[in-house]
Amino acid sequence: MYYLNTNAQRVLYQKIVNNQIFVDKSLLIEEVSKAIGTGNPYICITRPRRFGKTINANMLGAYYTKGCDSHEIFDDLAISAAKQYEKHINQYNVIHIDFSMFPDYCGGYEDYIRDITETLKGDLREAYPELRNHEYKSLSRMLLDTKESFIFILDEWDSIFYEPFMTDRDKSSFLKFLKVLLKDRPYVELAYMTGILPIAKYSSGSELNMFDEYDFMNDNIYDSYFGFNEKEVQRLCEENKTVSYEEMKLWYDGYYTSEGKSLFNPRSVSKALTRGVCLNYWTETGPMNEIADCIEHNVDEVREDIVKLVSGIPVEAELSGYSAAEQHLETRDEILSAMVVYGFLSYHNGLLKIPNGELMEKYQKVLAWDSMGELKEIVDGSKKILEATLAMDAKKVAGYLEEVHDREIPFLNYNDENALSCVITLCYLYARKDYRIEWEEKSGKGYCDYLFYPKKSGKPAILLELKVDHTAEDAIAQIKEKKYMEKVEKYASVLLVGIAYDKGKKVHQCMIEELV
C-alpha cells in the first residue's frame, strides 16, 4: 500500500531521529491530538519551505498509523510523557499523501489527480476486500463504504499550484476534489494539512472553509514546533561544537513566534552544524525570481522598502494577509505579503525586516537587478567608493555621494539620517564581498552607525559614522569619544570614516583617518 497505513512515515521519521542534528518536536502530537474526533478536526499549517513541515507530517503519520508499531521511536521522545500517549499511538487508519510527489509521467493535472485517486482506491481495495466487487467513481463513497474512520495527513497540499500546466479550471477542480474528499465526511477523524500558501487565497468560495489556518501571522498554538528556538540552537551548538551560537544567530535567526520569541531557519542551522561552517544554504530560487518579476512592474511602490530593509531600517506595513497565491501581484501589500509567505521577510508587530545574514545576501543581489533602474546604476558603481575609501581619498568619497544625491531619487533626498543610511548602503554594497557590515553595532559607550569587519586578512576594518547638519570632524570625534574602536581592536589597521551632509548648503563632507 502507498497511502493507507504504510510503514513509510515511520522509516522516514526514524532517519530524522537518528540524525546527528535532531530537535524533539514530538509534543506537537499532543496539540494536534486535541482535534481528533471533534466537531472541528481540520488543521492547516502554512510555513515557508525548510521549516519542518514534512518532518512533522511524517512524525504524525508514524505515530498515529495502525500500520506499524512505532513505540521504539516515540518511547524515547517527549510525547511519551503525555497523559494520552498510549491512547493515540498506532490506533488509527492514516491516509498520508505527499502532494509534492508526482507520477513518473505527468503531462498535466488530469495525470496528476488520476494517479492519486487510483492509488488510494487500490489501497482501499487491498485493505477492504469487500470493496473489490464495486466500481467506484467517488473516493468519498468508497471511504464511506469501509464503515471506518481515518486520519488524513496531507503534506504540501499546494505543490500542484506551482506547475506551469495548471489552469484556473484545474485549480478549481483540485479544490473541489479536496472538498468532496474531506468536508463534512463522517469518516474524517482528523485532517492535518500543510503548505506554503494559505487556502484562503486559493479558495474564493467556501470549498475548504472548514479548515482552521495557522500561519506566521496568526499561529499562537503550533508556532514553536516549526523552526528552532534559541534554547534549541544553543544546545545544538554546545553538543556539536562546530559553529558558535553567536555566528548561528547572525546567519539564521530573525523569524518570530506569536509572542515575539526568536525562531531560526532549521534546515540552515542543521546544514551549518553538520558542515561546520555558516554559509548561505538558502537554495530556493524560484519564488525569488517570481518576486523579481513583480518588482520589475511595481518598482516605484517597493524599491524604497527594499533599500530601507537592506540598510537595516525596519519597514512599517499593515499586511491584510498573504496574497502570494494571486496570479498577479500588483500592490505593495501583495508583494510584501508574498515575501513574508516565502520566508524572505519576517513580520512582527507591524514591522517588516530582513530576517538574517543568509537572506541579506539574497537582497543585496536584488539591488543589482535590472528592474531596480537607477538603483542598479548606483550599486554597479559602488566599487569605486570602496576603492576611494581604502585609498583614504575623502574628496572622491564625498564626490561620489554628491553624484548619488543629484540623481533626484525621491527617497534618497535626505530628510533624516535614515535617508543618508540608504545612500551609504547603496554606495558601499560592493564592500560586502570583502566585509561583513553591521549597522548600529554596540561598541564602546554607544552604537556605531556602521562597522565593516574584514572577511579576510589584509583588509582594514572600517568604522563609519554619519552626521546630518554637523561636520565630518564631528563624526570622527564621536567615534573616538564613544570608543567605538573597541570592537575592532584586534585588527592591524582601522579606518575611521566620518560622513556629513549639510541640508542648507546641500553638500557632503568626508574625513578619513587611519589607526594603526
Side-chain angles (χ1 to χ4, degrees):
M1 292 197 279
Y2 295 92
Y3 295 149
L4 175 62
N5 291 335
T6 76
N7 190 44
Q9 282 68 53
R10 188 195 68 79
V11 172
L12 291 170
Y13 189 62
Q14 179 70 72
K15 291 178 179 179
I16 295 298
V17 174
N18 293 343
N19 277 349
Q20 174 187 348
I21 311 300
F22 172 70
V23 173
D24 184 350
K25 298 287 185 178
S26 64
L27 289 179
L28 170 66
I29 296 169
E30 187 174 29
E31 289 294 339
V32 171
S33 295
K34 294 174 183 178
I36 293 177
T38 67
N40 191 24
Y42 302 98
I43 299 169
C44 181
I45 305 241
T46 57
R47 290 294 188 276
R49 288 183 175 89
R50 293 168 296 279
F51 266 79
K53 298 188 301 296
T54 294
I55 289 173
N56 283 341
N58 286 333
M59 175 183 73
L60 293 170
Y63 175 81
Y64 289 127
T65 183
K66 62 170 59 173
C68 62
D69 183 351
S70 54
H71 280 81
E72 184 179 354
I73 299 176
F74 292 101
D75 282 353
D76 294 327
L77 300 183
I79 187 60
S80 63
K83 289 182 179 180
Q84 297 191 325
Y85 172 61
E86 288 293 344
K87 176 182 177 181
H88 295 297
I89 189 168
N90 305 134
Q91 297 299 309
Y92 299 94
N93 292 307
V94 172
I95 294 173
H96 186 122
I97 303 175
D98 181 348
F99 283 106
S100 68
M101 302 298 290
F102 285 70
D104 292 340
Y105 172 78
C106 186
Y109 172 69
E110 292 299 327
D111 291 330
Y112 173 82
I113 202 67
R114 185 185 303 111
D115 181 72
I116 290 172
T117 54
E118 292 303 316
T119 299
L120 183 50
K121 286 178 181 178
D123 285 355
L124 291 170
R125 290 190 183 98
E126 183 177 345
Y128 302 95
E130 65 272 20
L131 303 181
R132 295 174 185 174
N133 296 326
H134 299 272
E135 188 65 33
Y136 289 95
K137 293 183 179 181
S138 168
L139 268 176
S140 58
R141 176 59 66 86
M142 198 171 187
L143 287 161
L144 282 169
D145 283 356
T146 66
K147 297 180 174 55
E148 294 199 30
S149 59
F150 300 83
I151 284 179
F152 291 82
I153 298 177
L154 309 176
D155 194 23
E156 302 291 0
W157 81 275
D158 56 340
S159 295
I160 189 65
F161 282 75
Y162 298 99
E163 294 301 313
F165 56 68
M166 288 291 285
T167 65
D168 289 341
R169 183 177 179 180
D170 292 336
K171 293 176 182 179
S172 178
S173 295
F174 185 61
L175 291 170
K176 289 177 181 176
F177 164 76
L178 292 175
K179 174 186 175 181
V180 172
L181 180 67
L182 302 172
K183 190 171 184 179
D184 298 328
R185 296 302 184 185
Y187 53 73
V188 177
E189 284 281 331
L190 172 73
Y192 176 91
M193 197 156 73
T194 78
I196 295 174
L197 305 177
I199 299 167
K201 292 301 177 182
Y202 283 118
S203 179
S204 59
S206 59
E207 289 94 338
L208 302 179
N209 62 358
M210 67 283 197
F211 276 93
D212 283 333
E213 296 193 62
Y214 300 88
D215 56 41
F216 258 152
M217 286 187 183
N218 69 5
D219 188 356
N220 63 338
I221 297 177
Y222 307 105
D223 54 359
S224 63
Y225 303 109
F226 296 87
F228 292 166
N229 63 37
E230 289 184 317
K231 289 184 179 179
E232 290 166 342
V233 176
Q234 286 172 345
R235 177 181 61 79
L236 290 173
C237 290
E238 290 170 2
E239 289 176 353
N240 291 274
K241 302 185 187 306
T242 53
V243 177
S244 71
Y245 172 75
E246 291 72 25
E247 190 174 5
M248 199 74 78
K249 187 173 180 65
L250 177 69
W251 271 88
Y252 309 121
D253 190 13
Y255 300 95
Y256 301 96
T257 66
S258 59
E259 296 178 345
K261 295 180 179 179
S262 289
L263 280 178
F264 291 67
N265 181 320
R267 178 183 182 274
S268 296
V269 167
S270 299
K271 287 281 188 182
L273 289 170
T274 302
R275 295 184 58 179
V277 60
C278 287
L279 296 173
N280 193 322
Y281 296 111
W282 191 281
T283 56
E284 181 58 50
T285 58
M288 201 59 154
N289 292 335
E290 292 172 19
I291 292 171
D293 293 337
C294 300
I295 293 172
E296 189 169 358
H297 296 98
N298 299 273
V299 172
D300 292 339
E301 292 185 81
V302 298
R303 67 175 180 175
E304 177 179 353
D305 292 323
I306 292 175
V307 173
K308 285 182 177 178
L309 290 164
V310 175
S311 301
I313 302 168
V315 169
E316 291 187 21
E318 291 298 329
L319 302 183
S320 59
Y322 293 161
S323 301
E326 304 298 333
Q327 289 298 301
H328 303 287
L329 305 181
E330 297 177 347
T331 69
R332 173 179 181 261
D333 181 277
E334 289 171 346
I335 294 170
L336 295 178
S337 293
M339 291 178 175
V340 174
V341 164
Y342 290 124
F344 296 134
L345 294 177
S346 64
Y347 183 66
H348 186 66
N349 286 339
L351 292 178
L352 290 164
K353 296 179 182 178
I354 296 174
N356 47 47
E358 183 175 40
L359 269 297
M360 182 61 74
E361 284 194 358
K362 291 291 185 183
Y363 277 95
Q364 289 163 196
K365 295 177 181 178
V366 169
L367 292 176
W369 286 342
D370 290 338
S371 58
M372 299 305 285
E374 283 190 278
L375 298 182
K376 180 185 187 301
E377 295 178 19
I378 297 171
V379 171
D380 288 346
S382 63
K383 181 179 181 180
K384 296 187 298 183
I385 198 167
L386 175 63
E387 291 173 343
T389 302
L390 295 176
M392 299 183 64
D393 192 333
K395 186 176 180 179
K396 272 190 177 180
V397 172
Y400 290 139
L401 293 173
E402 294 281 1
E403 289 179 14
V404 172
H405 186 255
D406 289 344
R407 287 178 176 269
E408 297 184 354
I409 299 173
F411 65 91
L412 297 185
N413 290 331
Y414 316 140
N415 297 313
D416 52 32
E417 287 195 13
N418 278 350
L420 184 53
S421 294
C422 290
V423 170
I424 296 301
T425 295
L426 292 171
C427 288
Y428 280 94
L429 201 70
Y430 182 84
R432 297 168 191 266
K433 293 183 178 181
D434 296 321
Y435 289 90
R436 176 171 63 84
I437 302 176
E438 296 296 322
W439 305 271
E440 295 290 336
E441 178 83 338
K442 180 73 171 71
S443 184
K445 299 179 179 179
Y447 292 84
C448 183
D449 285 337
Y450 288 87
L451 276 171
F452 291 56
Y453 295 98
K455 293 180 180 178
K456 298 178 181 179
S457 60
K459 298 282 186 181
I462 300 173
L463 297 172
L464 193 152
E465 188 70 18
L466 308 176
K467 288 291 181 185
V468 175
D469 286 339
H470 288 270
T471 66
E473 288 81 357
D474 291 336
I476 295 290
Q478 180 170 319
I479 292 175
K480 295 177 179 178
E481 179 185 346
K482 299 288 187 179
K483 298 183 179 180
Y484 294 157
M485 296 84 72
E486 287 185 3
K487 276 289 186 77
V488 292
E489 286 178 344
K490 68 177 183 179
Y491 296 101
S493 177
V494 178
L495 296 182
L496 310 185
V497 180
I499 293 175
Y501 178 71
D502 188 316
K503 284 184 180 178
K505 297 179 181 178
K506 295 185 178 181
V507 295
H508 295 78
Q509 288 183 331
C510 180
M511 181 177 178
I512 303 175
E513 287 187 12
E514 183 177 15
L515 297 178
V516 180

